[in-house]
Amino acid sequence: MTGLFDTHAHLYDKAFDKDREDVIARIFKTLDYVVIPSEDLETSQKAVRLADTHEGIYAAVGIHPQVTNGASDEVLAEIAHLAKTHDKIKAIGEIGLDYLYTDKDTQKYWFERQIQMAKELDLPILIHDREAHGDVLEILKRNADSRLRGILHCFSGSIETAKELMKLGFYISFAGPVVFSKSIKLKEVAADIPMDRLLIETDSPYLTPPPYRGKRNDPSNVLLVAEELARIKNMDVQELIDITRENAMKIYQIHQ
Ligand code: NI
């Protein structure tokens, strides 16, 4: 299988410090592209450096909801400057809401600021949504216009939520959890996502799918997500890989 596109992998993570270049060389035997999302200014700079030095790697820059307590106007301005000065930055993210963490108001404030920034930069957004489906939708609806678009990463919501997101111009991305045998509901949701809105990702080094659970995840395992979705949708794996790659290239505006 070839031509895979992992739309979300944290390749700057310390889990890859010992063998990052080996991993990158290996994954490009089966992948064409990887997008590295960021969590703060430091990881944004790391993601951009990796993108600038590897052909198939692109980056997203932004402040993750779990660390919005450390956000400031200065940090946001530096992130915007990165995005303006690096062609390989293709999105703002990951941004969003994570209600396993406190301070919802701070999270909402910086989510909305970064949505506005993405629109000014004419870039899509990568959304992290944990236990916050209602508020994420509400904020997106309030900011909806022709410039708002993006990806709901590691989708875990209902088909109703997915439909609302797709109406607003969003793509739905599935990661390792859709492979877990206990994820019966999530598989049903995936079955109902139209092929022209479907994306695949790993969220490496997290969320390792079976049969490698407990081990470090890396982008080559996006094949396991593709295989499971092809099984759910009763279609050829290579066809699913090709369609999800085309979708990802479209939303990230990557031209061959
Ligand atoms: Ni992530």
Side-chain angles (χ1 to χ4, degrees):
M1 299 296 165
T2 56
L4 288 151
F5 193 137
D6 185 351
T7 63
H8 192 116
H10 299 269
L11 283 177
Y12 53 74
D13 194 276
K14 61 182 183 312
F16 297 108
D17 279 354
K18 282 195 178 129
D19 59 350
R20 183 170 293 103
E21 290 304 322
D22 292 343
V23 170
I24 291 171
R26 179 169 51 77
I27 62 179
F28 282 114
K29 288 176 182 161
T30 50
L31 275 76
D32 282 358
Y33 302 103
V34 178
V35 171
I36 307 180
S38 307
E39 297 155 76
D40 54 17
L41 180 58
E42 193 192 339
T43 53
S44 293
Q45 289 161 339
K46 286 182 181 174
V48 173
R49 218 169 296 139
L50 283 168
D52 280 349
T53 51
H54 298 86
E55 203 188 327
I57 297 182
Y58 293 82
V61 291
I63 306 163
H64 193 289
Q66 290 170 8
V67 294
T68 42
N69 284 327
S72 67
D73 288 338
E74 291 72 31
V75 167
L76 208 63
E78 286 205 49
I79 288 173
H81 180 73
L82 274 178
K84 278 182 206 156
T85 51
H86 292 264
D87 289 344
K88 289 194 89 180
I89 295 176
K90 295 296 186 187
I92 297 299
E94 50 189 299
I95 63 175
L97 302 174
D98 190 326
Y99 285 175
L100 293 189
Y101 289 73
T102 53
D103 216 343
K104 295 182 180 179
D105 288 340
T106 305
Q107 292 190 33
K108 284 183 189 170
Y109 174 78
W110 290 105
F111 182 30
E112 211 151 359
R113 284 285 302 272
Q114 293 184 93
I115 290 172
Q116 282 153 11
M117 180 174 85
K119 293 208 285 191
E120 281 158 22
L121 294 165
D122 198 22
L123 288 172
I125 58 174
L126 288 186
I127 302 179
H128 171 104
D129 164 8
R130 190 152 53 166
E131 313 276 327
H133 305 322
D135 283 356
V136 164
L137 253 185
E138 195 253 322
I139 288 174
L140 292 178
K141 279 183 180 162
R142 197 169 348 118
N143 288 279
D145 65 18
S146 61
R147 291 171 306 169
L148 180 72
R149 61 192 188 277
I151 298 170
L152 207 304
H153 127 77
C154 193
F155 189 68
S156 61
S158 65
I159 189 63
E160 289 75 23
T161 301
K163 280 181 181 161
E164 298 263 2
L165 288 163
M166 290 187 284
K167 241 188 272 168
L168 294 169
F170 283 81
Y171 287 73
I172 307 295
S173 183
F174 291 94
V178 81
V179 186
F180 302 165
S181 56
K182 60 165 201 244
S183 300
I184 296 161
K185 266 228 172 96
L186 192 60
K187 290 178 202 289
E188 285 172 10
V189 172
D192 285 343
I193 303 295
M195 282 309 296
D196 64 351
R197 291 307 182 95
L198 189 71
L199 296 174
I200 54 176
E201 62 168 292
T202 57
D203 203 15
S204 300
Y206 315 108
L207 302 178
T208 311
Y212 304 120
R213 290 200 70 181
K215 296 196 177 129
R216 177 184 72 180
N217 201 4
D218 77 53
S220 66
N221 289 333
V222 77
L223 176 60
L224 297 167
V225 179
E227 286 173 339
E228 180 65 15
L229 288 171
R231 196 190 61 73
I232 290 168
K233 290 184 167 292
N234 195 20
M235 68 187 286
D236 178 68
V237 182
Q238 188 63 57
E239 192 187 353
L240 186 135
I241 289 170
D242 292 342
I243 294 172
T244 52
R245 183 186 62 248
E246 293 302 314
N247 291 344
M249 290 173 75
K250 199 167 163 192
I251 186 66
Y252 283 128
Q253 300 255 313
I254 293 170
H255 312 286
Q256 248 168 345

